Amino acid sequence: MRAFTLALAFFVLAACGGGGGGGGGSVTPPPPPPADADPGGLWFGTLAYDNETFEELVGITTADGRFTFISLDTFGPDTFGQYIGTATVAGSDITGAGKAYAAPGSSWGNGGSVLDITLTAVVVERTSLSGSWQTSSGETVTFELVYDAEYEKDSALAFIDGVWFVYDDALNPTLTLTVESDGSFSGQNSAGCVSLGQISIIDANFRVYGWDVVISDCLIAGDYTGVAVLFDVDTGDPDNSENNAVLVSISNDLRALLLPLER
């Protein structure tokens, strides 16, 4: 299973100006305030619970306000825990809300698997993202992330069509998805779940896609929405070295799923 990455943020520059004029002279209007920074990015760094427990964190954020943070703590209870929601920019501040999803098979301190969160952060466009979120059970999590330029590769449906797999530790396929040239896809996993969905372009200049799917015929049935990042992974095969891995993060009110897809 290959390691993938991705977190969120927004940045705002506040500025003010003035103008004046002499008697009988024309008045020069003040310049407009600078535009809000684009919060989109692919981010890597760490999170900390109460400044004590540190974990690796990746994030995916989009210009339209979506954020996904994924914990990569390999040994702790929050392995692949996800923090997903939407946010807005005002000045240099980011504010948002969403949900914290416990890692599969684990739960939060209150015994639940999903908590509400509120987010506050600051982003320096294409450079850094830092802030914190607070859960509905009272925990505070802080994070520090740096930007990865992998985000700035173009996206196109032609890059992602074809047949994709999720493998278990023994390299047996547990999910097979077939993506058509228009971004529609269908698939089935080893538990009998059937997937029908649609991939969309968020911004053709960046390597993050929208991902919507309906899953049926199994315990995790439901409507899910989220994002996906397309990667190049060196497999040693020159014929399969580009656009050959996708990390998909999707969620609804009950659960979040993380799918590491490979060609």
Side-chain angles (χ1 to χ4, degrees):
M1 186 173 181
R2 299 196 170 90
F4 297 87
T5 46
L6 331 198
L8 145 27
F10 308 79
F11 174 70
V12 195
L13 296 172
C16 55
S26 61
V27 176
T28 302
D36 296 337
D38 180 354
L42 177 62
W43 312 88
F44 297 83
T46 58
L47 63 80
Y49 295 98
D50 298 322
N51 297 317
E52 293 180 356
T53 303
F54 290 87
E55 300 177 5
E56 291 184 65
L57 188 70
V58 296
I60 308 167
T61 60
T62 64
D64 62 0
R66 290 179 256 189
F67 68 83
T68 297
F69 298 101
I70 302 166
S71 169
L72 300 183
D73 175 30
T74 305
F75 304 105
D78 300 322
T79 304
F80 300 127
Q82 298 191 70
Y83 310 86
I84 299 171
T86 58
T88 58
V89 183
S92 59
D93 300 322
I94 299 167
T95 57
K99 295 185 180 297
Y101 298 88
S106 65
S107 61
W108 302 115
N110 67 348
S113 59
V114 183
L115 295 175
D116 292 331
I117 60 172
T118 55
L119 173 78
T120 58
V122 173
V123 62
V124 179
E125 186 173 316
R126 308 289 187 265
T127 302
S128 65
L129 172 64
S130 61
S132 65
W133 61 78
Q134 187 164 11
T135 71
S136 53
S137 60
E139 292 113 344
T140 296
V141 177
T142 60
F143 60 89
E144 297 282 345
L145 301 168
V146 295
Y147 178 74
D148 191 292
E150 186 81 10
Y151 175 72
E152 295 176 42
K153 292 184 177 180
D154 294 347
S155 61
L157 295 178
F159 297 161
I160 205 169
D161 66 353
V163 181
W164 297 87
F165 304 94
V166 173
Y167 295 97
D168 63 17
D169 291 339
L171 299 182
N172 299 309
T174 60
L175 170 65
T176 303
L177 284 180
T178 300
V179 180
E180 306 297 339
S181 59
D182 64 354
S184 63
F185 65 86
S186 61
Q188 186 167 355
N189 72 4
S190 56
C193 297
V194 174
S195 298
L196 293 173
Q198 180 69 44
I199 301 167
S200 58
I201 302 298
I202 298 174
D203 186 324
N205 295 310
F206 304 112
R207 190 50 68 93
V208 178
Y209 297 77
W211 194 284
D212 296 282
V213 62
V214 177
I215 298 175
S216 59
D217 299 336
C218 62
L219 292 176
I220 61 171
D223 294 0
Y224 294 81
T225 189
V227 294
V229 178
L230 184 62
F231 291 96
D232 302 332
V233 174
D234 184 4
T235 63
D237 180 358
D239 296 324
N240 184 26
S241 60
E242 294 183 343
N243 303 326
N244 59 354
V246 180
L247 182 63
V248 180
S249 169
I250 51 176
S251 64
N252 57 24
D253 288 341
L254 299 177
R255 63 182 61 86
L257 305 175
L258 191 65
L259 306 175
L261 296 169
E262 304 174 48
R263 289 195 194 271

